């Protein structure tokens, strides 16, 4: 019975290691994309940027948003790793009709834990909502909201609004910092699982 229990724990840890590696790689990429968005905002907020250049930059940032939504839809072993307890479908999809360009399709929390051989629980996952769509208690986007930061920059670029472009830079940096904290969670979890 002990051998069987140990084998199950090892199998769980092996599966979780794969998911954690996918999450870690995805969040590292997302963090780099946020750095790229900050660079775009800095260039677009300068006096030399033209309306046409800003339109092109809006397309670049829209592409970054699309890639980050793709990261939020990452899968391992047939399950969406950032979809919490409802992992049979992605928590977010692109939707141009929404202010931030994305729509939340599931709201399940992530209560997933694994237990080591001593029975100690290890929390192993966060949802896309927790990682990319931080919200205040009243439902408005919080500081660190990745989708809102990118969506605001896209809107500002399309509107050729220099002031909005310049003010979006702080939101992008905050979102990048917040993503780094999420990446740290996955790094620490990987270390515990290892």
């Amino acid at each position: 019975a002990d051998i069987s229990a140990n084998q199950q724990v090892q199998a769980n840890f092996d599966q979780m290691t794969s998911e954690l590696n996918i999450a870690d790689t995805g969040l590292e990429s997302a963090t780099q994309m946020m750095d790229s968005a900050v660079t775009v905002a800095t260039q677009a907020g300068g006096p030399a940027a033209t309306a046409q250049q800003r339109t092109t930059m809006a397309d670049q940032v829209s592409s970054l948003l699309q890639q980050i939504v793709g990261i939020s839809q990452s899968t391992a072993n047939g399950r969406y790793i950032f979809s919490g307890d409802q992992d049979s479908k992605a928590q977010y999809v692109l939707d141009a009709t929404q202010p931030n360009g994305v729509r939340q399709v599931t709201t399940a929390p992530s209560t997933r834990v694994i237990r080591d051989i001593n029975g100690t629980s290890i929390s192993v996952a966060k949802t896309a909502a927790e990682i990319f769509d931080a919200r205040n208690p009243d439902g408005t986007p919080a500081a660190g909201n990745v989708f809102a930061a990118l969506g605001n920059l896209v809107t500002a670029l399309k509107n050729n609004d220099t002031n909005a472009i310049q003010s979006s830079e702080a939101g992008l940096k905050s979102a990048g910092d917040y993503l780094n904290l999420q990446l740290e969670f996955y790094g620490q979890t990987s270390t515990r699982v290892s």
Side-chain angles (χ1 to χ4, degrees):
D2 287 345
I3 290 171
S4 178
N6 285 345
Q7 289 172 337
Q8 185 59 55
V9 167
Q10 186 61 51
N12 291 345
F13 276 24
D14 289 345
Q15 179 181 346
M16 191 48 54
T17 298
S18 171
E19 292 182 25
L20 291 170
N21 288 340
I22 292 168
D24 189 65
T25 301
L27 292 178
E28 281 182 22
S29 295
T31 301
Q32 293 169 356
M33 289 176 207
M34 292 307 294
D35 291 342
S36 296
V38 170
T39 301
V40 169
T42 301
Q43 292 171 349
T50 65
Q52 183 177 5
Q53 289 171 326
R54 288 178 176 154
T55 298
T56 301
M57 290 176 181
D59 292 339
Q60 289 175 312
V61 177
S62 291
S63 175
L64 293 175
L65 177 61
Q66 181 178 358
Q67 291 174 65
I68 288 178
V69 169
I71 290 168
S72 80
Q73 298 171 346
S74 296
T75 60
N77 301 315
R79 34 178 315 277
Y80 290 92
I81 63 173
F82 297 123
S83 289
D85 297 342
Q86 194 173 356
D87 60 8
S88 62
K89 59 181 162 181
Q91 197 167 50
Y92 285 87
V93 294
L94 287 171
D95 185 345
T97 66
Q98 300 299 311
N100 296 337
V102 298
R103 180 171 47 88
Q104 187 174 11
V105 293
T106 66
T107 59
S110 181
T111 59
R112 212 161 156 228
V113 296
I114 59 173
R115 293 191 187 348
D116 67 15
I117 197 65
N118 300 315
T120 304
S121 295
I122 302 172
S123 178
V124 292
K126 291 190 172 196
T127 65
E130 292 174 288
I131 297 169
F132 303 105
D133 195 19
R135 296 277 168 172
N136 294 314
D138 64 359
T140 58
N145 188 307
V146 173
F147 294 149
L150 292 170
N152 290 341
L153 178 57
V154 169
T155 301
L157 289 166
K158 287 181 177 179
N159 292 338
N160 196 31
D161 185 340
T162 304
N163 291 333
I165 293 167
Q166 291 170 346
S167 67
S168 72
E169 214 173 317
L172 292 164
K173 288 178 181 175
S174 175
D177 292 342
Y178 185 76
L179 267 181
N180 274 317
L181 290 175
Q182 308 315 305
L183 183 58
E184 186 177 314
F185 165 83
Y186 279 95
Q188 290 172 350
T189 302
S190 291
T191 299
R192 287 191 69 192
V193 168
S194 294

